Amino acid sequence: MMTATGIIKQGLKQFFLLLCFLSVADANAQEPPPRPIRIDLVQNLSFGAFYQGPSGGSITIDPTGTRSSTGDVIPI
């Protein structure tokens, strides 16, 4: 049966062993950042000027560049 002093000494030995292990191990704070995002421009989009009413809505641009609006959005 171990005494309280023996348990404390055993705990200190384990603590210092862990401390020594951590002091020699390599540590990295974070991984390197990923490659930057690549964006290829296919078509310029211009939503133009518009006014949003109280209930909202949406503006849509089709592939030919025609602008249309729904809801309470008013193209200017």
Side-chain angles (χ1 to χ4, degrees):
M1 184 164 173
M2 292 185 79
T3 63
T5 306
I7 293 173
I8 292 173
K9 285 183 181 181
Q10 182 67 25
L12 284 174
K13 285 180 186 177
Q14 290 175 353
F15 173 74
F16 285 118
L17 180 63
L18 179 64
L19 190 63
C20 289
F21 173 73
L22 292 176
S23 67
V24 296
D26 287 339
N28 294 324
Q30 69 186 73
E31 64 184 40
R35 293 185 326 205
I37 297 174
R38 180 179 159 195
I39 299 174
D40 294 325
L41 180 63
V42 176
Q43 178 181 359
N44 287 324
L45 295 178
S46 176
F47 291 96
F50 60 90
Y51 173 78
Q52 178 182 344
S55 63
S58 64
I59 292 185
T60 307
I61 301 175
D62 67 15
T64 63
T66 305
R67 180 176 73 157
S68 62
S69 65
T70 62
D72 222 7
V73 175
I74 302 167
I76 298 175

